[in-house]
Amino acid sequence: MVIRRIFSFLIVLFLVFCNRNFSFSKQGTNVLAFDSSIEAVSHRISNNLSESVETARADRLIKRFLRKWEVAGATVAVVKDQKLLFAKGYGYADIENEVKVEPSHIFRIASVSKLITATAIMKLQEEGKLKLDDYVFGEHGILNDSIYTNIRDKRTKRITVEHLLRHSAGYSSRYGDPMFLPLSIAKKMKVKPPISAETTIQFALSRRLHFTPGSRGGYSNLGYVMLEKVVEKASGENYEDYVKAHVLNPAGVFDMHLGKNLEEDHYPNEVKYYEQSNAIKISAFDGSGKTVFRSNGGNNIEELGGAGGWVASAAELMKLLLAIDGDDAHPDILSSKSIAYMTTPNKNGQSPIGWKGTRSKTWWRTGTLAGSSALMKHQVGGYSFVIVTNSSTWRGSDFTRDLSVLMNRVLRSVKEWPDQDLFNHFEARQERMALDNLPKYKGWS
């Protein structure tokens, strides 16, 4: 028994230091799946590891920016040549309790969530469980369940998975974003709030499309909520479970989750969210009659799910990025063909898949919610970065442009980054070295 435990321990060390991440191979052959008890990279590092003379000016730039925009806290990560050179928290995760942001804190990442959902769809295609030209609704659609049969506009039956991925399915926010109109939809559908994502989809199906699917683009949160249901139907699994098992864990990501609506239900290491000083309160999504801030009960984050409901740390978002960047120096979880297809706008100039934009060698994904802003940028051959805040500003979604300007200045301010790879940093801890506390793997006794 002792010999077997020692042998198992050596195998674990070998795989971790080689950064193999237990991914699924390009041929689809499964290897041992991670147990959820494995520690995330963000939990193995702290702010002090990114303290250096070389990055002191970058620190000043970020802190000055947070003060200017009255942002409570932020998390930042920088990668170059597949190495995590820098991962640091700034400001406060919780002002009232004076909790400072560390790399281990998780934030709402808003529409960066769409990149996760899009990756899951591409994974399902590689597994042969769906095709991008599959219809979504109607008798021949993936979502042909009885609850989705009341379709007013016949063009809806021509919506494909790819239309939803590229925001070209016929939905827009011309009359307001349905994902942020829960009480109005509950009234029109004659149901008691809080409403489910299924009810919002049923509402959309009972209305006419704003344009013919595939004819043009129109940014749609609703479309990615529909894709969440496509993932569940095609995989036969709960959406979050499928994403963790087939996308996140194989990428080496273990502390990314679907977020909760209320502060009292947040994860232990999740930050508190703050809105701009002139933010107004609205009626709670659940129909309770309470007047609340959008970031704490006004918006239904749980219904937003695959369109904007994930919470994550900057370090683990970088881990995900490296798993879908087309550079096999860090094993990818998708084929090079899938990654190229995701990052190429179609001939009609419609959105890339999952990403907000792709230009030449730069891909970016933004996200904005009341109480949070996020920007992920991948620069082929250059520095890639993530920055996420736990505060919103009067700039709304345009604030991500300010984040981009900030990070460009930060990157220019550092002449030489620390020679380190925080992805491979492991602190010696007694509880991790004890053989009796080794994480168990599925398939091992």
Side-chain angles (χ1 to χ4, degrees), residues 188-204:
K188 290 182 181 295
M189 297 300 289
K190 299 179 180 179
V191 299
K192 185 178 180 180
I195 62 173
S196 64
E198 288 82 359
T199 297
T200 303
I201 294 173
Q202 288 175 313
F203 167 77

Side-chain angles (χ1 to χ4, degrees), residues 33 46 55 60 62 67 78 108 117 161 164-165 180 202 204-205 328-329 337 365 396 417-418 435 445:
S46 56
T55 59
R60 291 194 295 271
I62 295 172
R67 288 194 300 270
V78 177
R108 287 177 179 166
T117 300
V161 173
L164 294 176
L165 286 167
F180 298 99
Q202 288 175 313
L205 296 179
D328 278 337
K337 182 179 179 180
R365 178 67 253 182
W417 290 89
L435 293 180
S445 59

Side-chain angles (χ1 to χ4, degrees), residues 94-376:
D94 183 335
I95 295 176
E96 291 74 16
N97 292 302
E98 298 184 346
V99 178
K100 294 187 177 181
V101 179
E102 284 282 344
S104 58
H105 279 105
I106 54 178
F107 293 61
R108 287 177 179 166
I109 60 173
S111 285
V112 177
S113 302
K114 292 180 174 67
L115 183 60
I116 299 171
T117 300
T119 302
I121 291 288
M122 300 305 290
K123 190 68 182 177
L124 283 165
Q125 178 177 241
E126 291 188 0
E127 293 171 351
K129 295 179 179 178
L130 59 71
K131 299 188 294 294
L132 298 192
D133 59 1
D134 283 344
Y135 292 120
V136 177
F137 298 107
E139 55 274 18
H140 302 298
I142 296 173
L143 300 182
N144 57 4
D145 311 71
S146 59
I147 62 172
Y148 300 131
T149 56
N150 183 24
I151 298 174
R152 179 180 178 184
D153 193 328
K154 293 182 179 179
R155 294 176 297 174
T156 299
K157 296 183 180 181
R158 291 156 54 187
I159 294 174
T160 66
V161 173
E162 185 159 0
H163 288 150
L164 294 176
L165 286 167
R166 294 192 185 275
H167 298 280
S168 63
Y171 301 107
S172 73
S173 299
R174 183 188 305 172
Y175 306 115
D177 190 327
M179 299 312 302
F180 298 99
L181 299 171
L183 299 182
S184 297
I185 292 176
K187 184 176 180 180
K188 290 182 181 295
M189 297 300 289
K190 299 179 180 179
V191 299
K192 185 178 180 180
I195 62 173
S196 64
E198 288 82 359
T199 297
T200 303
I201 294 173
Q202 288 175 313
F203 167 77
L205 296 179
S206 70
R207 299 299 190 268
R208 290 189 59 79
L209 295 176
H210 294 152
F211 56 89
T212 299
S215 63
R216 63 181 179 88
Y219 192 82
S220 174
N221 284 305
L222 174 64
Y224 270 75
V225 171
M226 292 174 172
L227 285 170
E228 176 184 333
K229 303 307 174 186
V230 168
V231 169
E232 291 188 333
K233 187 68 179 292
S235 68
E237 300 179 41
N238 169 271
Y239 165 77
E240 185 174 13
D241 291 343
Y242 177 84
V243 169
K244 287 184 175 182
H246 295 258
V247 175
L248 300 179
N249 289 1
V253 175
F254 306 105
D255 191 21
M256 198 177 290
H257 319 275
L258 286 179
K260 304 299 181 182
N261 290 313
L262 304 178
E263 182 182 330
E264 62 197 55
D265 298 322
H266 288 176
Y267 294 92
N269 60 324
E270 186 175 357
V271 298
K272 186 175 179 179
Y273 302 101
Y274 299 89
E275 298 181 38
Q276 59 271 32
S277 57
N278 63 345
I280 61 172
K281 292 184 177 181
I282 64 172
S283 297
F285 77 91
D286 60 4
S288 64
K290 296 179 180 178
T291 302
V292 298
F293 284 112
R294 295 178 187 272
S295 59
N296 188 31
N299 293 335
N300 191 342
I301 303 300
E302 294 171 36
E303 185 196 9
L304 199 58
W310 286 89
V311 293
S313 66
E316 286 211 305
L317 279 173
M318 294 307 304
K319 196 80 170 175
L320 174 64
L321 187 152
L322 295 183
I324 55 171
D325 68 348
D327 187 340
D328 278 337
H330 181 107
D332 289 326
I333 59 173
L334 294 176
S335 68
S336 57
K337 182 179 179 180
S338 292
I339 293 170
Y341 198 75
M342 289 178 70
T343 54
T344 304
N346 70 6
K347 60 183 179 181
N348 295 325
Q350 293 159 2
S351 299
I353 292 175
W355 295 94
K356 179 68 171 178
T358 56
R359 182 177 59 245
S360 183
K361 295 184 178 182
T362 303
W363 315 337
W364 65 95
R365 178 67 253 182
T366 60
T368 303
L369 280 171
S372 55
S373 293
L375 172 64
M376 171 190 285

